[in-house]
Amino acid sequence: MNKNAIAAALTTLIFTALPALASAADANVNVQIVDALQKRYGAHPGHRANHAKGVVAEGSFTPAADAPMLTRSPIYAGAAVPVTVRFSDASGLPDVHDAAPDANPHGLAIKLHLPNGTDSDIVVNSLKFFPVATPEDFRDLHLAAAASTPGTPKPTPLETFLKAHPSVAKAVGTLGTPASFADEEYYGIDAFVFTNKDGKKQAFRYVIAPAKVVHLPKEEAAKKPANYLFDELPQRLAKGPVTFHIKAQLAAPGDQTRDPTQPWPADRKIVDLGTLTITKTLADSDAQQKKLLFIPGRLTDGIEPSDDPLIPARDGAYAVSFGRRSATP
């Protein structure tokens, strides 16, 4: 079986195993998103189409005592569960400089290993809200960037796209350059819905909060080595665990959940769901991250997707990307 056939088989398996990820039309857009990313950044065999540069670590999650009031999910039932996490730079460039504009937003993916042998994922990044509202716009953003090379006549396709989508500049304006993966706050740009044991539903967005947020001034960031985030994390963990609090920003009645470019007001209640403790990076991180697939829609009972169209699109595009990189020895 050749590489393309293996990739196709893996992607088919993923789509079959996960309930109704996408319609045929949606699946086509998911492929187009990955194609657009690879057109912009190039195809790098064995690497993700986006967030290609990453590091895998391990630890545990301990839920807060009050979390079961919001959800009947087994994640928050009371016992600590082991986790596998991946920190990453944005873009499809496996050698991107950690402080480069293309490296933002930085990402954090969390795979919670439940006692029944199943996993559930949380996939967040450092954008406070998303640049575009639909999968088609995300595809077109990267196609416009790919077509806007030096010397392209003005206005470039990217300039035209940005003018028509002011949400992109607003979202990018929320970013900073972190001093450490451990000193960044990460946001779930998509809304999900909790259901508790009484059947009460509550829309929410994740916030993964560090002990402190530390962003570097532009001049200082420019002087950092290309891999400073990846070098610093194991050094920090050698001195002790890194902790985050997994929180949920709760929607108020009437707050929309479909458009991830529109954040909820800052006065919406934020509740603590528990503590994420990271203890070590993996010595074989490069090999392990190739095998790992994190998708926002891998959920448990007590958590369900909202009507945000980016959730199934992310699930589908990540699966397509996984199939392609898995076909590389």
Side-chain angles (χ1 to χ4, degrees):
M1 185 179 289
N2 63 33
K3 292 180 181 179
N4 290 335
I6 295 171
L10 283 166
T11 303
T12 301
L13 178 62
I14 294 162
F15 273 92
T16 309
L18 298 169
L21 277 180
S23 68
D26 291 337
N28 189 46
V29 172
N30 300 336
V31 172
Q32 292 170 2
I33 287 172
V34 178
D35 289 343
L37 286 162
Q38 293 187 331
K39 186 171 185 180
R40 179 176 183 179
Y41 298 115
H44 301 276
H47 293 279
R48 287 163 169 78
N50 197 7
H51 290 269
K53 183 179 179 181
V55 60
V56 180
E58 291 181 338
S60 63
F61 172 71
T62 304
D66 292 339
M69 295 176 64
L70 282 170
T71 176
R72 60 179 182 242
S73 169
I75 295 170
Y76 305 104
V81 297
V83 301
T84 301
V85 305
R86 182 178 185 265
F87 293 96
S88 62
D89 290 350
S91 88
L93 302 171
D95 297 319
V96 67
H97 191 295
D98 292 346
D102 277 345
N104 250 328
H106 295 92
L108 171 59
I110 306 165
K111 189 174 292 292
L112 300 113
H113 305 294
L114 302 177
N116 65 1
T118 64
D119 294 333
S120 185
D121 297 346
I122 299 172
V123 186
V124 293
N125 65 51
S126 55
L127 283 165
K128 292 186 177 180
F129 48 90
F130 208 59
V132 293
T134 69
E136 293 80 6
D137 279 347
F138 187 69
R139 171 200 63 199
D140 293 346
L141 169 61
H142 290 287
L143 289 175
S148 302
T149 56
T152 302
K154 303 283 188 176
T156 67
L158 181 58
E159 289 169 341
T160 301
F161 184 93
L162 296 179
K163 184 176 181 180
H165 299 80
S167 57
V168 177
K170 290 179 182 178
V172 172
T174 69
L175 293 169
T177 302
S180 166
F181 281 128
D183 293 334
E184 183 60 285
E185 191 162 57
Y186 303 90
Y187 303 89
I189 47 91
D190 301 310
F192 291 84
V193 180
F194 281 141
T195 304
N196 68 11
K197 61 182 177 60
D198 298 320
K200 181 180 179 181
K201 294 185 180 295
Q202 171 65 61
F204 73 98
R205 287 178 172 137
Y206 283 112
V207 179
I208 315 297
K212 60 180 179 179
V213 174
V214 183
H215 287 163
L216 299 175
K218 187 175 181 179
E219 298 76 14
E220 184 177 347
K223 297 176 183 177
K224 287 287 187 179
N227 299 313
Y228 79 97
L229 291 175
F230 290 82
D231 293 339
E232 190 272 347
L233 184 62
Q235 294 171 7
R236 178 177 292 217
L237 289 172
K239 300 174 184 177
V242 165
T243 60
F244 293 85
H245 279 267
I246 298 183
K247 301 181 179 184
Q249 183 189 31
L250 306 183
D255 284 345
Q256 68 82 34
T257 54
R258 184 173 179 81
D259 186 349
T261 69
Q262 301 298 317
W264 297 328
D267 64 358
R268 295 297 183 258
K269 185 177 181 180
I270 296 178
V271 298
D272 190 3
L273 300 174
T275 304
L276 175 68
T277 302
I278 300 169
T279 54
K280 65 176 182 178
T281 55
L282 300 187
D284 60 345
S285 174
D286 287 345
Q288 290 301 319
Q289 66 183 333
K290 185 176 177 180
K291 303 174 185 177
L292 287 167
L293 172 61
F294 298 89
I295 54 173
R298 197 194 310 269
L299 304 171
T300 70
D301 176 55
I303 308 174
E304 62 190 67
S306 70
D307 56 350
D308 185 338
L310 281 178
I311 297 172
R314 293 173 75 190
D315 291 349
Y318 294 0
V320 172
S321 177
F322 178 81
R324 291 184 184 181
R325 75 172 184 270
S326 297
T328 303

